[in-house]
Amino acid sequence: MEQLLGVKIGCLFALLVLTLVCGLTPICFKWFQIDAATGRHRRVLSFLGCTSAGVFLGAGFMHMTADALEGIESEIQKFMMQNRTEMEGSDSAQMEYPYGELIISLGFFFVFLLESLALQCYPGTAEGVTVQEEWGEAPVLGLHSHGPLPSLSKGPLRALVLLLSLSFHSVFEGLAVGLQPTVAATVQLCLAVLAHKGLIVFGVGLRLVQIGTGSRWATLSILSLALMSPLGLVLGLAMTQGDSKGGRGLAQAVLEGVAAGTFLYVTFLEILPRDLVGPEAPLAKWGCVAAGFAFMALIALWA
């Protein structure tokens, strides 16, 4: 038992250190600031951003959404087994309803509602929302490159949503590590978490730099995100010392489902459009996004 506790404490510090190093690297080095980059430097940063977009896409589908669906389905089955006598006469179609997909969609629409309310209450933020890009002389889909990127994308809302959704997921990852019953299972899960967490947090730091977040706020954001997995691990250790209460697992699964929905919203409406904007090297950008996604899909074999 003491050996298991020591291994989990080691995992706690590993998660904390890796998150800080990977997240602060793009913030501390000016090389990653795309606004000051030109030529090949700017192209490399663009490809790096596309790779991080693929990582986010893979994390959203292969990890957050998959974990949420598995957790929600498991908890609903437990609930139905506990209340089988009361639900014997219920319609089987109701029992097969896709509750997990519904909860994830609710998370998506929740952020959609927040942004709609922001635009409704502050109409000035809608100015310049239509990003235009130029493909040769002919505009594509009404896009043109002389305008700035969407003003709303540069605001703090989507960055905050990204951080919150990743924070929820990080807590649950740490919780899973803290609940492992053996040293081997703890080390295996921790290594799987570390393998994809480093890339994800690096992408977050890069995203904060590219949207113009101040270095102080970006550093505080990464620090708060770094503390989430250790917090979850500590909660997992505490839960192993006592009996888990019914309903706690369902609440955790629902929260993770909402976080997955919000993460997918930001991925599709903020991260991918920003990285794919512009006509230069479209196939290379596709390859970078695909490479990032493929890496996360590979990690999902062990995570």
Side-chain angles (χ1 to χ4, degrees):
M1 183 62 68
E2 292 182 359
Q3 183 182 7
L4 178 60
L5 179 60
V7 169
K8 290 183 177 180
I9 292 176
C11 292
L12 185 152
F13 283 103
L15 289 169
L16 179 62
V17 171
L18 179 80
T19 305
L20 287 175
V21 171
C22 293
L24 294 178
T25 297
I27 299 172
C28 296
F29 294 94
K30 293 184 179 180
W31 189 87
F32 291 98
Q33 296 180 1
I34 195 170
D35 292 338
T38 57
R40 181 179 297 179
H41 182 193
R42 187 177 185 87
R43 193 176 300 112
V44 170
L45 287 178
S46 177
F47 292 157
L48 189 60
C50 289
T51 304
S52 69
V55 169
F56 282 123
L57 190 63
F61 279 114
M62 305 302 296
H63 296 270
M64 296 181 70
T65 300
D67 293 344
L69 289 175
E70 181 180 359
I72 293 171
E73 181 180 357
S74 175
E75 292 301 324
I76 289 178
Q77 287 180 354
K78 289 179 182 179
F79 177 79
M80 290 181 175
M81 290 294 293
Q82 294 172 356
N83 299 272
R84 178 183 297 178
T85 56
E86 300 178 6
M87 302 182 65
E88 285 180 350
S90 63
D91 188 4
S92 60
Q94 182 179 0
M95 299 177 66
E96 297 176 358
Y97 187 82
Y99 292 102
E101 289 81 354
L102 175 63
I103 292 173
I104 293 173
S105 301
L106 289 177
F108 185 97
F109 277 99
F110 175 70
V111 186
F112 192 6
L113 175 62
L114 288 181
E115 290 204 346
S116 299
L117 288 174
L119 291 173
Q120 181 71 31
C121 297
Y122 303 98
T125 59
E127 298 178 1
V129 165
T130 303
V131 184
Q132 295 185 332
E133 276 297 323
E134 190 174 11
W135 190 290
E137 295 295 331
V140 179
L141 299 178
L143 300 179
H144 193 275
S145 62
H146 298 298
L149 287 172
S151 58
L152 187 59
S153 295
K154 290 187 177 181
L157 179 58
R158 286 178 176 173
L160 178 62
V161 170
L162 175 65
L163 288 169
L164 288 177
S165 59
L166 281 175
S167 295
F168 273 116
H169 186 62
S170 295
V171 169
F172 298 140
E173 285 179 335
L175 186 64
V177 174
L179 289 173
Q180 294 305 305
T182 64
V183 171
T186 301
V187 172
Q188 181 180 2
L189 182 58
C190 183
L191 290 176
V193 171
L194 289 172
H196 75 271
K197 191 174 185 63
L199 275 179
I200 293 175
V201 178
F202 178 85
V204 172
L206 185 64
R207 188 67 41 192
L208 292 174
V209 170
Q210 291 182 348
I211 65 175
T213 307
S215 59
R216 178 181 299 179
W217 288 109
T219 301
L220 289 176
S221 298
I222 295 298
L223 178 60
S224 62
L225 182 59
L227 293 174
M228 293 301 106
S229 289
L231 174 62
L233 199 152
V234 171
L235 291 176
L237 287 173
M239 290 173 62
T240 57
Q241 304 300 321
D243 297 329
S244 60
K245 298 178 180 179
R248 176 183 294 168
L250 180 60
Q252 173 182 328
V254 169
L255 286 175
E256 190 161 9
V258 173
T262 61
F263 188 85
L264 290 177
Y265 182 92
V266 176
T267 299
F268 280 105
L269 295 183
E270 158 68 10
I271 295 172
L272 283 173
R274 176 177 288 274
D275 286 323
L276 297 179
V277 69
E280 68 277 357
L283 286 179
K285 289 185 176 182
W286 178 90
C288 291
V289 174
F293 182 89
F295 180 82
M296 299 304 292
L298 182 63
I299 294 298
L301 292 173
W302 298 278

